[in-house]
Amino acid sequence: MSTAAELTPDEARARLGALTVVDVRTPGEYATGHLPGAHNVPLDHLDAALGVLKSAAERGKLLVVCASGVRSAQAHQRLAAHGVPARTLAGGTDNWARLGHDVHRPAGARTTWAMERQVRLAAGSLVLAGLLVGRRRAAARWLSAGVAGGLVFSAVTDTCGMARVLAKLPHNRPRAVDLDATLAALGG
């Protein structure tokens, strides 16, 4: 059951033609597959798009999506704080795809791992490296402790600094964000 601020994938699919879909993932994640007709406005560019998103919301319903629903919930809160009505997709594009709904991929786009998977690999590798090197140099165990503390902080604050760092890597940015083109498409 979805809350008033979210639509289930089935509800969103039924209304897709009447929705303006804004995907707040990184360009690399967006390129791995997105809802049909979705516009990519990464979360870190959301403030620059507020005016256009407000206009789009006045013309019709706005649906904000991400991979799992966490970043779209953050975007929803930021939009609501600026008076922009929007809904989110329950479970994000991961849930959308899991249910077998259509996912569009740009031609020639290479597939990257989902950000959550990249974070798990990086965090696990750093913890393992800290423990292995720590067998010879005890101070290296602080690396493992630091990553563990970061993961706890990430869970408590519902943010992820490691994901922000990983999002800046070249494989997560297959192309520069053409925010002007996206905003023009949303504004038209």
Side-chain angles (χ1 to χ4, degrees):
M1 179 124 210
S2 63
T3 67
E6 40 177 44
L7 294 175
T8 67
D10 291 332
E11 291 169 333
R13 184 172 161 226
R15 301 178 190 172
L16 200 55
L19 296 169
T20 299
V21 182
V22 177
D23 193 318
V24 297
R25 297 177 298 162
T26 65
E29 291 174 293
Y30 176 81
T32 64
H34 53 270
L35 273 67
H39 301 276
N40 187 215
V41 179
L43 187 59
D44 58 346
H45 292 19
L46 193 66
D47 292 337
L50 282 172
V52 173
L53 292 173
K54 188 168 192 162
S55 296
E58 290 170 357
R59 290 190 309 273
K61 303 278 185 199
L62 197 63
L63 179 67
V64 183
V65 302
C66 68
S68 65
V70 173
R71 284 175 283 178
S72 59
Q74 292 171 354
H76 177 265
Q77 289 175 340
R78 284 167 59 185
L79 291 170
H82 288 91
V84 181
R87 309 279 293 272
T88 62
L89 180 64
T93 54
D94 291 347
N95 194 29
W96 175 273
R98 186 182 56 76
L99 293 172
H101 299 316
D102 191 27
V103 176
H104 287 195
R105 289 176 181 83
R110 55 179 200 235
T111 303
T112 60
W113 284 1
M115 187 56 65
E116 180 184 340
R117 185 175 180 190
Q118 292 180 50
V119 168
R120 288 193 315 255
L121 175 67
S125 297
L126 289 170
V127 168
L128 185 59
L131 292 174
L132 291 175
V133 175
R135 295 180 73 188
R136 293 204 182 257
R137 298 197 180 267
R141 293 184 187 144
W142 285 106
L143 175 63
S144 299
V147 172
L151 291 171
V152 170
F153 179 80
S154 175
V156 170
T157 62
D158 202 18
T159 62
C160 187
M162 188 176 288
R164 289 180 191 214
V165 170
L166 291 172
K168 296 180 186 312
L169 294 176
H171 67 274
N172 285 322
R173 295 193 170 270
R175 60 175 171 75
V177 177
D178 190 355
L179 190 59
D180 292 334
T182 300
L183 296 179
L186 280 167

